[in-house]
Amino acid sequence: DTGVSQDPRHKITKRGQNVTFRCDPISEHNRLYWYRQTLGQGPEFLTYFQNEAQLEKSRLLSDRFSAERPKGSFSTLEIQRTEQGDSAMYLCASSGRTQYFGPGTRLLVL
Amino acid sequence: QKEVEQNSGPLSVPEGAIASLNCTYSDRGSQSFFWYRQYSGKSPELIMSIYSNGDKEDGRFTAQLNKASQYVSLLIRDSQPSDSATYLCAVNEDQGAQKLVFGQGTRLTINP
């Protein structure tokens, strides 16, 4: 257990529905990252926060995706109007000098 | 596009032997390098980090970095069946943001 938690661990949804994932980082880490991983690939960077500020977003993050980190603590990642191509493992990592990953949320869009 | 390349494998090694995993990266300015282990269905787990040219040892694991050749490797000595996993090489492409760029991973199988 790295100390990073994610909820839910699994999510099955129908195409077109909205989903929201939560990440709770290691408490003393001020950086939080979201990655997406599909089968057979390494994780791909989506976005990151330093404290409550979202400092960078990948072009992978379409306008259907939004992430927040209110008060610089936990973070949420919302996907609106889900598509089958959104099916993946969504990983959260928090960082001091190195990044530690949470257990991930596995999303399946039917 | 900044890239990290790994042989996807599978790499099969007998128990007790040395497993050698390799990674090349395209961004010559990269400064931080990491190896993560990922068991099937689980999230990546940090094994080693390396920042300077040369070798860094931690137990049965040795990371090697050659910045001139843009090459990182991971050696696992006395391989155990529990080492069977996918090994991900990650490179910090932005020292400010500390974004990691991952290779696709090498699937390692240790045969008893």
Side-chain angles (χ1 to χ4, degrees):
Chain A
D1 184 357
T2 61
V4 181
S5 61
Q6 291 187 246
D7 184 69
R9 298 287 299 274
H10 302 273
K11 180 71 177 179
I12 300 174
T13 191
K14 293 182 180 179
R15 187 178 55 187
Q17 298 295 304
N18 298 344
V19 294
T20 300
F21 309 141
R22 176 178 170 128
C23 171
D24 287 89
I26 295 168
S27 58
E28 59 266 31
H29 287 173
N30 58 12
R31 292 189 180 201
L32 185 149
Y33 301 79
W34 285 99
Y35 292 84
R36 180 172 68 187
Q37 186 177 24
T38 54
L39 200 61
Q41 301 299 316
E44 296 175 290
F45 170 81
L46 293 179
T47 188
Y48 94 100
F49 294 83
Q50 176 140 352
N51 299 312
E52 66 276 10
Q54 186 175 17
L55 297 185
E56 188 168 342
K57 294 193 296 185
S58 164
R59 60 180 177 276
L60 291 175
L61 216 64
S62 76
D63 57 6
R64 296 186 297 106
F65 288 71
S66 62
E68 295 182 340
R69 193 183 181 195
K71 304 178 184 178
S73 56
F74 70 92
S75 176
T76 59
L77 177 68
E78 181 184 16
I79 309 174
Q80 296 181 327
R81 304 180 304 280
T82 53
E83 301 174 355
Q84 288 181 325
D86 297 330
S87 295
M89 170 88 89
Y90 289 83
L91 294 161
C92 173
S94 76
S95 173
R97 190 177 187 188
T98 54
Q99 293 185 27
Y100 295 93
F101 285 86
T105 295
R106 188 174 296 280
L107 173 66
L108 177 61
V109 182
L110 300 177
Chain B
Q1 170 128 3
K2 297 173 182 177
E3 294 182 343
V4 177
E5 299 285 343
Q6 294 181 256
N7 186 324
S8 62
L11 176 64
S12 185
V13 172
E15 184 175 358
I18 296 175
S20 177
L21 304 161
N22 305 314
C23 171
T24 59
Y25 59 94
S26 64
D27 182 9
R28 187 170 288 277
S30 299
Q31 297 291 322
S32 308
F33 307 86
F34 306 88
W35 284 98
Y36 287 82
R37 177 176 63 198
Q38 187 172 29
Y39 293 113
S40 180
K42 303 296 186 182
S43 64
E45 170 193 9
L46 180 68
I47 296 178
M48 294 281 288
S49 59
I50 187 166
Y51 307 97
S52 304
N53 277 329
D55 294 0
K56 178 182 178 183
E57 186 173 322
D58 184 359
R60 296 186 296 110
F61 299 96
T62 299
Q64 299 174 317
L65 174 60
N66 183 327
K67 290 185 179 179
S69 300
Q70 295 175 241
Y71 178 90
V72 194
S73 65
L74 179 71
L75 301 178
I76 307 174
R77 290 181 300 282
D78 187 24
S79 297
Q80 303 296 310
S82 60
D83 295 325
S84 298
T86 295
Y87 289 80
L88 296 161
C89 173
V91 176
N92 183 345
E93 71 162 17
D94 181 333
Q95 295 306 305
Q98 295 184 341
K99 293 186 304 183
L100 294 180
V101 179
F102 285 85
Q104 67 180 78
T106 297
R107 187 155 56 93
L108 174 66
T109 300
I110 307 300
N111 299 309

